[in-house]
Amino acid sequence: MPQKIVWLNGSPKSDTESFSYKMIQYFTKALKGHYDTFVEGNAFKLCQKNTLLEAHFREVLMADSLVIVSPLYADNMPSSVLDYLRSFECFIKSHPELITHPIKVYGFINCGFLGGQQNHIALEILEHFANRMHFIWGGGLGIGSGPMLAATLESVPRESKMQQPIFAGLDSFIDALQSGTLIDTSHRQLLVTQNYLPSLFIISMNIAWTGMVGQNFHKLYNKPYKKS
């Protein structure tokens, strides 16, 4: 039977800046030959227009799997993803006849923190959503140091000591998507971290953000709300 997978990009950034978009392309390439149809949607863009959103929901309800790929924002996903989940629930309640087969939901969350365990709450939210909708929660992968991985995904070999934990998690996640099975852990979560010293990670991130500040570094010491 034809297999169909729907990706939801939860990032509010443009495709050229979005690590979530980059990972959707990575997963799509790995799943060629296992699915016949790939559909992509962006939560931020979809939630701007109800007609687009409704058409997207109909696509999901005809698919085998929905995979939500999102950055982590303060232990949760961006507000547009939460709006998407709420709107989807309302749509299903209004159109219960459109659910004709079991749909699996998977999640991929990346955060800027080093530790992948930071993503566990966001994945639990997706699990609660899947259960509430009577979908099948296939599980999720949460990775740490997303910005670093974005820069090293293609430039640093997967066999390197730093990348090994990440690619082991990616391979397990892809295996579950390929076979349509559940992630084989107690909570159906894979939480992985790059093999990188925390002290070096802090130094690297400090160099990165101070570089972004550039010539406006002095403004970091402004105290606009301090009474004179």
Coordinates of all heavy atoms in Angstrom, one line a residue, residues 9 63 78 101 106 161 182 196 228:
N9 N 7.0 21.6 10.2 CA 8.1 22.4 10.6 C 7.6 23.4 11.7 O 6.8 24.3 11.4 CB 8.7 23.1 9.4 CG 10.0 23.9 9.8 OD1 10.3 24.1 10.9 ND2 10.7 24.4 8.7
A63 N -2.7 10.5 5.9 CA -1.3 10.0 6.0 C -1.2 8.8 7.0 O -2.1 8.5 7.8 CB -0.4 11.1 6.4
P78 N 7.5 26.5 20.0 CA 7.0 27.8 19.6 C 5.4 27.9 19.7 O 4.7 26.9 19.5 CB 7.5 28.0 18.2 CG 8.7 27.2 18.1 CD 8.4 26.0 18.9
H101 N -8.3 5.6 9.8 CA -7.3 4.6 10.1 C -6.3 5.2 11.2 O -6.3 6.4 11.5 CB -6.4 4.3 8.9 CG -5.7 5.5 8.3 ND1 -6.3 6.5 7.6 CD2 -4.4 5.9 8.5 CE1 -5.5 7.4 7.3 NE2 -4.3 7.1 7.8
Y106 N 5.1 11.3 15.6 CA 6.4 11.3 16.1 C 6.9 12.8 16.3 O 6.3 13.7 15.7 CB 7.4 10.7 15.1 CG 7.1 9.2 14.8 CD1 6.2 8.9 13.8 CD2 7.7 8.2 15.5 CE1 6.0 7.5 13.5 CE2 7.5 6.8 15.2 CZ 6.6 6.5 14.2 OH 6.3 5.2 13.9
K161 N 34.1 11.0 17.7 CA 33.6 10.7 19.0 C 32.5 11.7 19.4 O 31.5 11.4 20.1 CB 34.8 10.8 20.0 CG 34.4 10.5 21.4 CD 35.7 10.5 22.3 CE 35.3 10.2 23.8 NZ 36.5 10.2 24.6
L182 N 7.2 1.8 17.1 CA 7.3 2.7 18.2 C 8.8 2.7 18.6 O 9.5 1.7 18.6 CB 6.4 2.3 19.4 CG 5.0 2.0 19.0 CD1 4.2 1.6 20.3 CD2 4.3 3.1 18.3
Y196 N 30.6 16.2 24.1 CA 31.4 17.5 24.1 C 31.5 18.0 25.5 O 30.5 17.9 26.3 CB 30.6 18.5 23.3 CG 31.4 19.7 22.7 CD1 32.2 19.5 21.6 CD2 31.3 20.9 23.3 CE1 32.9 20.5 21.1 CE2 32.0 22.0 22.7 CZ 32.8 21.8 21.6 OH 33.5 22.8 21.1
S228 N 17.6 57.0 38.5 CA 18.8 57.8 38.7 C 18.8 58.4 40.1 O 17.8 58.5 40.7 CB 18.9 58.9 37.6 OG 17.7 59.7 37.6

